[in-house]
Amino acid sequence: MEFLLYLALGACAGVLAGLFGVGGGIIIVPVLVFSFTLQGFDPSILTHLAVGTSLATIIFTSVNAVREHHRRGAVRWPIFVWLTVGILMGAGFGALTAEAISGPNLQKIIGVFALVIAAQLALDVKPKASRTVPGKVGLTVAGSVIGWASAIFGIGGGSLTVPFLTWRSVPMQQAVATSSACGLPIALASALSFMILGWHDPLLPAHSLGFIYLPALLGIALTSMFFARIGARLAHRLSPKLLKRLFAALLFCVGLNFLL
């Protein structure tokens, strides 16, 4: 039964990855926390396990989303390169930060983040395109902050990368596409860090690779890779205004559930 949930979760995460340039982690993490709680996993490690597993699944959602965006010529690869330099540095520090936070407190932090993103989506708050794309140093610094925060929240960084790029006058479709590309190095670096940090934890359930739960990873990956391509196509065809507001309502419920 849990595996069917992981398959459905992967489909939702894939569409979100392609449509909004978010890795789907903002939905994956809460659902995994709920699922792991029902499975009786130890409360002190289940949130870290959910975050690590979420980051590992984003590797698969990113690959197909990026391929579709690249085929349409929407990825700004020079921006991607220098953001990635910072991302690789920040992701490791983010994983260390998350490990130092207790499971219940980490849930509260993720809950607050979900409410902030829900408000941003519901109110359609976007930074005005008031500045140009920064140079190599500026992109590297921005990437390090995005990588650090993404590793803590278990996300692909789209919730941070897209607003940053639009603020720097990158058109929305290119911002989403470039954000999708950045999700891959974020996921790779962060998932590897969580795997190493949790490697010898005695409380981990069977079939875990550090803080990555393999059955959940497999189920989500199987469907997310296909549905990410669909989401990327929709991003180039549809106005996502209604979907964003529905997504915001879901995130609001998620955030409240984690905080109450």
Side-chain angles (χ1 to χ4, degrees), residues 72-167:
R72 296 174 180 271
V75 181
R76 297 278 293 271
W77 290 112
I79 295 175
F80 163 82
V81 169
W82 290 104
L83 280 176
T84 297
V85 172
I87 283 167
L88 294 176
M89 294 187 291
F93 288 109
L96 287 169
T97 303
E99 191 200 23
I101 302 171
S102 69
N105 285 335
L106 186 58
Q107 286 190 30
K108 288 182 173 61
I109 291 171
I110 294 171
V112 171
F113 180 72
L115 290 178
V116 170
I117 298 303
Q120 185 265 326
L121 288 171
L123 300 174
D124 200 24
V125 177
K126 297 177 183 177
K128 294 182 179 180
S130 58
R131 300 192 179 187
T132 57
V133 177
K136 297 174 182 178
V137 174
L139 287 172
T140 301
V141 171
S144 64
V145 174
I146 291 168
W148 175 79
S150 299
I152 295 174
F153 300 127
I155 60 174
S159 304
L160 305 171
T161 310
V162 173
F164 170 72
L165 291 178
T166 53
W167 174 51

Side-chain angles (χ1 to χ4, degrees), residues 32 36 41 45-54 194 204-205 208-213:
L32 288 182
F36 293 166
F41 293 174
I45 58 96
L46 69 81
T47 306
H48 297 83
L49 194 64
V51 171
T53 304
S54 169
F194 271 87
L204 289 172
S208 295
L209 203 61
F211 287 131
I212 298 174
Y213 186 55

Side-chain angles (χ1 to χ4, degrees), residues 176-196:
V176 169
T178 306
S179 171
S180 292
C182 289
L184 185 56
I186 287 173
L188 283 168
S190 303
L192 180 61
S193 298
F194 271 87
M195 183 178 71
I196 294 170

